[in-house]
């Protein structure tokens, strides 16, 4: 890298106080008080030193450190709520700081070298962009996974009766998870009944109904019975309009009704006590 | 060739499948079972598939065949101990095992057949 950029740029960078000072000034203007000048100076001072080392000595370890430092800055800026362009622009500001120095001296050769230097800074700026999107993608992937786990709990309602409160849209992947979790829990707890509550499912179409039917059939094959509850008026209308047949599967309007049905079917009798 | 043992508990015949089922084994099992039902006058057949973790359509059909066959001889069939993965496979294959009753485990299967355990029965 050092050979391509040329000695004149390195010489300009030697004047650390002036170039770094101008760079910090430009960046501080851009961030408009969201981080203090002192913080900017510490961050950029570190970067500046590393850029200098890489350009002047062709130092391999400095190149690695520089990229790590940039990634760190990009990540912390992302957390502070800066947009990726703002982070990248603060790196690009170094070009302007150097360019102004060349303009002051008015040298022809330095301009040629400045083109190469500009390419080098662009590369660094783009790297902050990449780090930013990689960080965001990681966050999204984590959230998707958490959502899948959160959204499919299987709870015990009574001895031998499980409840599955479904919330959110049902797609094939989720149904698969629900089906597997539910069936495994039925085996583990030796439960005879499962109540699938779809109060939180925003819409039921033929696909969702198909998924529900499959789950119920699989549970039935294992010798257990499923009751579907939480069918709201609009959903009941949609189901009839679409001509979906739930066959002989028991459906109830509310979770309470379904629980009462399951209790009665498993031979539990509820008696009102004195406190009621 | 391996044979699947058929055990008699009271008025129930218990078939516990512990081996990989070959077509030939299934054929022999069906013949043995039919013969035992007639000889013992059993009223129920329990097929325990707790140890089975791979099924295909052939085995799925076997359950239905055994159930229909037993019903002709007045014995009820219950399949017990099906694993979740097996149930999902059967549903995906579109097999609903019509005419076969199922239960979670052996105990529930026996209760389903209305049979008391042999120790409680009158020493049969």
């Amino acid at each position: 890298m050092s050979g391509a950029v040329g000695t004149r740029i390195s010489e300009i960078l030697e004047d650390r106080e002036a170039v770094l000072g101008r760079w910090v000034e430009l960046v501080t203007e851009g961030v408009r008080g969201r981080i203090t000048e002192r913080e900017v100076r510490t961050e950029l001072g570190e970067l500046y030193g590393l850029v200098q080392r890489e350009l002047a000595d062709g130092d391999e370890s400095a190149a690695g450190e520089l990229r790590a430092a940039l990634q760190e800055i990009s990540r912390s800026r992302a957390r502070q709520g800066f947009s990726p362009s703002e982070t990248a622009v603060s790196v690009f500001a170094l070009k302007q700081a150097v360019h102004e120095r060349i303009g002051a001296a008015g040298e022809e050769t330095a301009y040629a070298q400045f083109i190469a230097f500009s390419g080098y800074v662009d590369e660094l700026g783009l790297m902050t962009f990449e780090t930013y999107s990689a960080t965001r993608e990681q966050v999204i992937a984590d959230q998707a996974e958490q959502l899948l786990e959160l959204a499919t709990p299987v709870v015990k309602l009574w001895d031998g009766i499980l409840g599955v409160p479904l919330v959110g849209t049902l797609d094939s992947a989720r149904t698969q998870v629900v089906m597997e979790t539910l069936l495994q829990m039925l085996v583990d707890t030796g439960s005879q009944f499962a109540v699938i509550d779809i109060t939180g499912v925003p819409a039921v179409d033929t696909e969702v109904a198909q998924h529900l039917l499959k789950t119920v059939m699989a549970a039935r094959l294992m010798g257990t019975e499923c009751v579907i509850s939480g069918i709201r008026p609009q959903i009941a209308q949609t189901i009839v309009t679409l001509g979906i047949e739930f066959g002989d599967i028991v459906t109830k309007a509310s979770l309470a009704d379904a629980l009462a049905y399951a209790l009665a079917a498993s031979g539990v009798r509820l008696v009102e006590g004195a406190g009621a | 060739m391996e044979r699947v043992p058929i055990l008699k508990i009271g008025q129930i015949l218990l078939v516990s499948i512990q081996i990989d089922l070959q077509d030939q084994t299934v054929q022999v099992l069906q013949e043995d079972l039919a013969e035992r039902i007639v000889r013992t006058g059993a009223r129920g057949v329990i097929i325990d598939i707790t140890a089975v973790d791979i099924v295909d359509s052939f085995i799925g059909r076997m359950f239905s065949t055994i159930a229909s066959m037993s019903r002709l001889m007045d014995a009820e069939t219950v399949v017990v101990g099906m694993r979740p993965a097996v149930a999902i496979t059967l549903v995906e294959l579109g097999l609903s095992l019509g005419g076969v009753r199922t239960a979670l485990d052996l105990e529930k299967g026996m209760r389903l057949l209305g049979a008391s355990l042999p120790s409680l029965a009158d020493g049969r």
Side-chain angles (χ1 to χ4, degrees):
Chain A
M1 207 64 221
S2 57
V5 170
T7 48
R8 187 67 196 99
I9 297 291
S10 300
E11 274 169 40
I12 291 172
L13 290 176
E14 285 296 314
D15 189 2
R16 182 182 164 103
E17 271 317 302
V19 180
L20 178 59
R22 180 71 184 128
W23 190 16
V24 170
E25 199 180 309
L26 285 168
V27 172
T28 316
E29 241 169 63
V31 298
R32 280 188 302 270
R34 276 176 291 180
I35 28 180
T36 62
E37 197 195 319
R38 186 195 297 219
E39 280 176 298
V40 174
R41 185 171 283 277
T42 328
E43 270 179 8
L44 296 188
E46 190 193 351
L47 287 185
Y48 193 87
L50 289 165
V51 168
Q52 232 180 343
R53 261 171 64 198
E54 191 189 351
L55 290 185
D57 320 332
D59 192 340
E60 284 296 319
S61 68
E65 275 176 56
L66 176 58
R67 271 147 192 78
L70 272 175
Q71 282 170 356
E72 191 43 54
I73 289 171
S74 176
R75 261 187 232 118
S76 74
R77 290 284 178 93
R79 275 196 291 272
Q80 284 162 330
F82 285 88
S83 75
S85 351
E86 282 174 314
T87 314
V89 163
S90 56
V91 174
F92 294 147
L94 175 60
K95 283 198 287 190
Q96 196 184 334
V98 172
H99 183 255
E100 281 168 8
R101 300 285 299 170
I102 298 172
E107 298 160 74
E108 283 297 318
T109 47
Y111 275 114
Q113 292 178 358
F114 180 71
I115 300 296
F117 177 72
S118 170
Y120 167 76
V121 175
D122 286 349
E123 201 181 291
L124 296 182
L126 284 175
M127 222 188 67
T128 65
F129 229 104
E130 265 170 41
T131 311
Y132 181 87
S133 54
T135 314
R136 293 299 284 249
E137 261 165 46
Q138 184 59 43
V139 169
I140 292 170
D142 287 351
Q143 281 176 344
E145 200 175 308
Q146 284 170 357
L147 206 61
L148 205 60
E149 287 167 6
L150 270 182
T152 52
V154 178
V155 295
K156 184 176 169 181
L157 293 177
W158 202 274
D159 211 19
I161 303 173
L162 297 180
V164 192
L166 290 179
V167 177
T169 316
L170 276 181
D171 56 12
S172 308
R174 261 195 80 194
T175 321
Q176 193 71 19
V177 177
V178 171
M179 201 195 267
E180 279 168 20
T181 330
L182 172 61
L183 298 186
Q184 193 56 52
M185 276 291 276
L186 284 170
V187 174
D188 292 348
T189 59
S191 300
Q192 198 70 50
F193 282 94
V195 179
I196 302 177
D197 186 74
I198 58 167
T199 313
V201 179
V204 173
D205 55 12
T206 43
E207 205 189 336
V208 172
Q210 186 65 31
H211 290 322
L212 283 174
L213 283 178
K214 271 189 187 169
T215 310
V216 175
M217 291 320 289
R220 211 172 258 188
L221 279 179
M222 289 171 49
T224 57
E225 205 187 323
C226 280
V227 183
I228 297 176
S229 76
I231 303 193
R232 283 174 281 125
Q234 306 98 305
I235 288 193
Q237 279 189 12
T238 321
I239 289 176
V240 173
T241 317
L242 288 174
I244 298 165
E245 278 293 335
F246 269 127
D248 55 348
I249 296 167
V250 180
T251 54
K252 296 283 176 190
S254 69
L255 182 60
D257 291 343
L259 180 60
Y261 168 83
L263 285 173
S266 51
V268 176
R269 232 157 35 93
L270 293 179
V271 180
E272 275 188 19
Chain B
M1 186 200 64
E2 290 178 290
R3 281 178 105 96
V4 179
I6 301 171
L7 312 169
K8 181 171 174 293
I9 309 172
Q11 294 214 307
I12 294 171
L13 293 181
L14 173 63
V15 182
S16 184
I17 297 171
Q18 312 270 357
I19 52 167
D20 282 341
L21 286 175
Q22 307 294 328
D23 295 7
Q24 186 69 24
T25 324
V26 170
Q27 198 64 41
V28 173
L29 172 63
Q30 287 179 4
E31 286 165 18
D32 283 357
L33 193 59
E35 199 257 331
R36 281 293 286 273
I37 293 172
V38 173
R39 190 147 53 86
T40 60
R43 306 301 306 271
V45 175
I46 292 182
I47 307 174
D48 172 35
I49 54 167
T50 314
V52 176
D53 42 26
I54 298 169
V55 287
D56 52 20
S57 52
F58 183 77
I59 296 179
R61 212 174 57 233
M62 174 194 85
F63 298 136
S64 298
T65 314
I66 290 182
S68 321
M69 198 179 71
S70 310
R71 198 171 307 117
L72 285 176
M73 293 173 282
D74 197 24
E76 187 95 41
T77 306
V78 183
V79 174
V80 303
M82 189 182 292
R83 293 192 185 195
V86 172
I88 293 173
T89 312
L90 287 177
V91 170
E92 295 295 342
L93 286 173
L95 294 170
S96 59
L97 301 192
V100 184
R101 298 173 77 179
T102 51
L104 262 186
D105 50 35
L106 181 58
E107 199 183 346
K108 291 196 171 70
M110 293 184 81
R111 203 176 302 149
L112 195 63
L113 286 175
S116 52
L117 288 165
S119 59
L120 302 171
D122 50 347
R124 272 178 303 193

